[in-house]
Amino acid sequence: MDKGEPKKPIYKRWWVWLIVMLFVMVVIGNITGGSGNKASEDGTPETSAESSENAAEDDDSEDTDSSNSDIADSSTSESSSDEATSSSDSFDTSQYADIHSKFADDTILSQPKSDLSNGNAYVLNHYYIKSLGADNFGEYHLLLSNDESSDPRFMVVYKPSTGQKLIEGTYLSVYGVLNGVGTVNTSAINSGISPEYAGQKVVLFLPDHVVNVN
C-alpha cells in the first residue's frame, strides 16, 4: 500500500514565512510609529506664530524696562536739581557783613594784618571777575574787583558746586572770611590768571558760599 509522499514540515512552507515577515513588519512599524508620536508629544516645536508672539512679549518687556529707566533717571536728575536749589536757598547769609561796611577797596591793602585775618565774616557783594584760572585739582582762582574798571583787590580760590559755571567778565557774590594779604603767585598764573597781574598784592578771601549774579 502506497502511503504517498510525506508532508513537508510547516516551517518549510512558503506561506508560513510570508505571514511571519508580515507580522515582523507590522511590529516594527508600530514601534517606530509610537516612538515618533511620543517624541512629538514630549517636545513639540514652536510654531511661527508662537515664536512671533514670544518675541513681541520680549520687545514689550524691554520697552517697559527702558521707559522705567528713563523715568528713574529723570526723577534722579530732578531730585539733584532740587537738592542744589534747596542748598543755595537755605544758606544763611545773615552773619556776613558787606565788606564795604568795614573797608574801602582803595585802602584795604594798607590795613593792619590783624584786621584782615581776624576771622570776621564778610560778603563781597556783586564783585567782578577780572581774571580767572583753573588748576589741576578742579579749583578756580578768581581775581575780583569792585567793578569792571577797578583794579583787582581780592583773590578767591574756590571749587564750584556741580553745574555752576564761572565766567571771566561776569559778576558774583562771595560769602566768606578774610585771610590776610598775599600776591598773585606762579600757581595762580599757571592756573590761567592773566600774567599782567603777576606779583600784584591782593587780599586773600576764603569762600564759604559763591553765588553767580546776573
Side-chain angles (χ1 to χ4, degrees):
M1 180 176 173
D2 187 7
K3 294 182 179 180
E5 296 180 359
K7 293 183 178 181
K8 292 182 179 181
I10 190 168
Y11 62 86
K12 289 186 177 182
R13 298 177 185 273
W14 63 270
W15 51 269
V16 172
W17 287 108
L18 178 61
I19 293 173
V20 171
M21 290 177 64
L22 291 174
F23 176 78
V24 170
M25 291 175 64
V26 170
V27 171
I28 292 174
N30 288 337
I31 292 174
T32 57
S35 176
N37 290 337
K38 183 177 181 180
S40 177
E41 291 173 0
D42 293 342
T44 304
E46 282 187 330
T47 63
S48 309
E50 290 173 339
S51 298
S52 299
E53 183 178 349
N54 291 338
E57 290 177 353
D58 290 341
D59 290 341
D60 290 342
S61 177
E62 291 177 359
D63 290 342
T64 301
D65 292 342
S66 176
S67 176
N68 290 339
S69 176
D70 291 341
I71 293 173
D73 291 342
S74 176
S75 299
T76 301
S77 176
E78 290 175 0
S79 176
S80 299
S81 177
D82 290 342
E83 288 176 2
T85 301
S86 175
S87 176
S88 178
D89 293 342
S90 62
F91 183 78
D92 183 11
T93 62
S94 61
Q95 61 179 315
Y96 296 88
D98 192 297
I99 193 71
H100 293 136
S101 67
K102 178 68 175 178
F103 305 101
D105 278 3
D106 293 340
T107 60
I108 190 172
L109 289 172
S110 62
Q111 299 299 313
K113 291 183 179 179
S114 59
D115 288 349
L116 300 179
S117 57
N118 56 16
N120 290 340
Y122 294 99
V123 55
L124 305 180
N125 191 32
H126 202 269
Y127 265 66
Y128 183 78
I129 303 178
K130 198 79 171 180
S131 188
L132 176 150
D135 60 29
N136 294 330
F137 300 101
E139 292 185 322
Y140 278 75
H141 295 243
L142 309 174
L143 201 53
L144 305 179
S145 60
N146 190 41
D147 53 46
E148 186 175 354
S149 60
S150 301
D151 291 331
R153 287 291 182 265
F154 296 91
M155 172 66 76
V156 177
V157 179
Y158 170 70
K159 190 168 187 176
S161 57
T162 303
Q164 184 178 22
K165 294 182 179 180
L166 303 176
I167 303 173
E168 187 173 309
T170 60
Y171 287 84
L172 46 72
S173 292
V174 185
Y175 299 84
V177 296
L178 300 174
N179 192 38
V181 176
T183 59
V184 179
N185 58 22
T186 303
S187 297
I189 299 301
N190 289 340
S191 74
I193 293 292
S194 176
E196 67 179 293
Y197 301 112
Q200 182 167 325
K201 291 180 65 175
V202 288
V203 177
L204 304 179
F205 196 83
L206 297 179
D208 295 326
H209 190 57
V210 177
V211 181
N212 297 78
V213 178
N214 295 328

